[in-house]
Amino acid sequence: MGINSNAFQKCINPDCGAEFDYVRAFFKCPECGELLDAQYNWDKIEIPHRLSEFAKRWANRTNPLDFSGVWRFRELLNFCDDKYKVTIGEGQTILQQNDAVAEYAGVKPGCLYLQYEGLNPSGSFKDNGMAAAFSHAKMVGATSSACASTGNTSASVALYAHHCGLKCTVFIGSGRIAFGKLSQGIEYGAQTIQILGDFDDCMRQVQDVCTKLGLYLLNSLNPFRLEGQKTIMYRIIEGLGWEVPDWIVVPGGNLGNSSAFGKAFYELKQLGLIERIPRMAIINATGADTLTELVNNKKLIWNDGRVNQKIIDDYYTALTARNFSPHTCASAIEISRPVNLKKCLRAIDICSGVVRAVTDEEILDAKAIIGKFGLGCEPASAATIAGLKNLITEGIIGSNQRIACVLTGHPLKDPNVTVDYHKEKQGKFSNPPIEAPNDIDEIIKLIK
Ligand code: F0G
């Protein structure tokens, strides 16, 4: 099997551009250390002439690969034989038009759509990526897996690892992950190592451990994981009757999603399956705003792959010098050294992207609104609506444009943040429970 097959891996650094067989497991280019992409020889792959042809698969849902919201689109992530493909029914998500949340954000009725990735088996978008990455892991014969995580990756890795019989070790920052996520990882049987440090420390450690022990790495450095996450965009297009929205709004943490979404649209355009590429807004939390700082203040750009490394190095050196550790109530995106930074810059270039940071207060208020009028989400996901509201005020996003916000995780992932917001009356939309004596008349007096 050589690079003449359907798929291959390619370094994103144009001065390197090394290519590798897709049946090898790397998480960085062995030649130059940059990120790797999964790439395809599209002329060897039979692709539907129109995206709407994928709809036929709905009629064949007893086949698990047609039921999967990832593998239903398998021609667009064609890197492994069906016999290796892993699925536990991921990607059965809802794209909900929501006028009440739209009103909060200043968007016209009929224009705002919420993509509920919290409806995945482990409760977050990560399952899209894991279906693809664990398929690759099986293809290369991996027996042990590992990841660093702010919580959702670990929950998803643990679930998929036990489904396919791989051992799994997850690295988390001690006290840095939400309880729902921690409970999932340990319940699903992951060996959980709590490091006295933050996510960035865990990310560094896990790479070294994987190299030393030959474990299969499932963080979004893994190019095949991002292939699975492309399907979130296919499903948004599907939910819009095979039309492309004007804007995608996504939270930014380790920047895997934004990178995958940019790649998805680039490929669809290249294949003639869409006529235009939507714009993308990536939303950081102000306590973890590396991307915002680098793009908006330091003017870091993709520059055809020749990214100015000195800007990044200087920024990280300054973070280290002041002993910086990121802090936000949106613990999922509490990351200061995002590993997919360069791929994200490429996505910004592809999608004419914008980047903003929102405060914890803005995140929590937006989250309460998504809970009250929608199906709810975890804090990081609510950064999308908070960011959208600001971008509408700024006039960057038009109130009558068609906007899809990716709600990345389920509300039960982080019950503490929710209960504190309401019980401690932390925000404008707090809805605290009322204490009542055990007395019918007193209880009736309280009911509005
Ligand atoms: N939203 C949620 C709910 C997340 O869990 C994450 C990332 C993000 C957004 C950010 O996505 O990294 O693609 O930019 N969580 C990772 C984890 C880091 O370990 O669970 P990204």
Side-chain angles (χ1 to χ4, degrees):
M1 224 172 324
I3 54 174
N4 290 331
S5 315
N6 287 343
F8 57 99
Q9 304 185 66
K10 187 174 169 67
C11 176
I12 67 162
N13 171 7
D15 295 324
C16 171
E19 295 185 3
F20 306 94
D21 205 304
Y22 65 93
V23 284
R24 300 181 66 185
F26 301 126
F27 44 89
K28 281 197 172 155
C29 174
E31 305 272 326
C32 76
E34 262 307 338
L35 296 169
L36 290 170
D37 264 334
Q39 294 282 355
Y40 303 97
N41 292 312
W42 293 113
D43 49 349
K44 294 206 170 73
I45 301 171
E46 214 171 301
I47 302 278
H49 296 297
R50 278 184 303 277
L51 278 176
S52 59
E53 286 176 36
F54 284 110
K56 284 189 209 136
R57 297 237 157 99
W58 283 101
N60 197 31
R61 290 164 69 79
T62 48
N63 172 357
L65 296 185
D66 287 341
F67 180 75
S68 164
V70 169
W71 296 120
R72 249 174 336 107
F73 299 101
R74 50 193 171 270
E75 286 79 0
L76 300 173
L77 50 153
N78 201 332
F79 63 83
C80 86
D81 288 348
D82 286 358
K83 67 177 177 200
Y84 297 117
K85 285 185 181 133
V86 172
T87 176
I88 52 175
E90 58 288 323
Q92 309 308 316
T93 52
I94 291 174
L95 182 72
Q96 177 198 53
Q97 193 205 300
N98 192 315
D99 286 348
V101 177
E103 190 183 341
Y104 173 75
V107 175
K108 295 255 158 68
C111 293
L112 179 64
Y113 292 80
L114 307 177
Q115 172 68 13
Y116 285 100
E117 286 298 316
L119 299 177
N120 273 293
S122 81
S124 86
F125 74 91
K126 303 285 177 181
D127 298 348
N128 297 286
M130 295 312 163
F134 272 95
S135 302
H136 185 259
K138 275 184 60 182
M139 185 168 73
V140 302
T143 53
S144 281
S145 60
C147 70
S149 184
T150 57
N152 281 324
T153 299
S154 57
S156 185
V157 164
L159 182 59
Y160 277 80
H162 93 199
H163 176 78
C164 11
L166 262 72
K167 287 205 280 189
C168 125
T169 305
V170 307
F171 293 69
I172 56 175
S174 193
R176 296 289 194 130
I177 83 170
F179 251 52
K181 305 174 189 183
L182 178 62
S183 69
Q184 285 180 291
I186 47 189
E187 180 91 342
Y188 297 149
Q191 180 186 20
T192 304
I193 300 187
Q194 290 188 292
I195 293 180
L196 294 171
D198 57 27
F199 172 81
D200 301 298
D201 299 317
C202 294
M203 193 66 237
R204 248 190 323 268
Q205 296 290 359
V206 77
Q207 291 182 59
D208 290 346
V209 171
C210 284
T211 307
K212 286 215 163 88
L213 302 183
L215 308 182
Y216 188 92
L217 181 73
L218 284 143
N219 282 100
S220 48
L221 284 171
N222 181 325
F224 298 97
R225 217 193 91 183
L226 296 189
E227 291 305 287
Q229 288 170 218
K230 293 191 306 191
T231 64
I232 302 170
M233 294 301 104
Y234 308 152
R235 295 199 302 274
I236 287 180
I237 294 173
E238 179 181 50
L240 294 173
W242 305 104
E243 287 179 10
V244 175
D246 297 310
W247 281 90
I248 298 289
V249 187
V250 61
N254 225 4
L255 305 178
N257 262 340
S258 42
S259 300
F261 300 170
K263 185 171 188 281
F265 289 119
Y266 180 83
E267 290 172 350
L268 291 180
K269 181 83 178 9
Q270 200 187 20
L271 292 167
L273 292 170
I274 56 173
E275 281 176 7
R276 64 179 174 85
I277 290 177
R279 295 192 68 188
M280 180 155 57
I282 305 165
I283 314 298
N284 279 158
T286 48
D289 62 351
T290 294
L291 183 71
T292 314
E293 283 292 319
L294 289 177
V295 170
N296 294 353
N297 296 342
K298 313 273 182 214
K299 307 297 173 206
L300 192 68
I301 54 167
W302 169 240
N303 193 28
D304 290 326
R306 296 189 171 85
V307 177
N308 188 335
Q309 184 67 42
K310 185 168 183 314
I311 297 181
I312 305 171
D313 291 344
D314 288 352
Y315 187 78
Y316 289 167
T317 305
L319 290 186
T320 308
R322 64 187 167 100
N323 228 343
F324 178 82
S325 182
H327 277 288
T328 164
C329 70
S331 56
I333 52 174
E334 197 177 65
I335 297 172
S336 64
R337 289 170 169 79
V339 297
N340 288 298
L341 175 62
K342 289 187 183 169
K343 283 188 178 175
C344 176
L345 295 172
R346 179 176 67 181
I348 291 171
D349 191 63
I350 293 167
C351 299
S352 306
V354 297
V355 182
R356 290 292 182 274
V358 291
T359 63
D360 281 7
E361 195 183 345
E362 291 173 309
I363 288 174
L364 291 174
D365 285 342
K367 178 175 151 333
I369 293 292
I370 298 163
K372 185 166 182 188
F373 298 111
L375 309 178
C377 65
E378 66 164 281
S381 316
T384 55
I385 294 299
L388 170 63
K389 188 171 168 33
N390 294 345
L391 286 164
I392 294 275
T393 309
E394 280 185 58
I396 307 262
I397 300 184
S399 61
N400 58 357
Q401 290 193 286
R402 194 143 68 150
I403 305 148
C405 293
V406 184
L407 301 185
T408 44
H410 196 278
L412 293 177
K413 287 283 190 177
D414 196 344
N416 297 44
V417 164
T418 307
V419 171
D420 288 349
Y421 177 86
H422 291 290
K423 252 188 130 168
E424 312 299 330
K425 300 190 193 138
Q426 287 172 353
K428 289 201 272 291
F429 309 106
S430 295
N431 176 30
I434 305 160
E435 298 271 348
N438 192 9
D439 176 289
I440 180 84
D441 296 326
E442 293 300 318
I443 292 171
I444 284 174
K445 274 192 224 154
L446 290 170
I447 295 180
K448 285 188 263 183

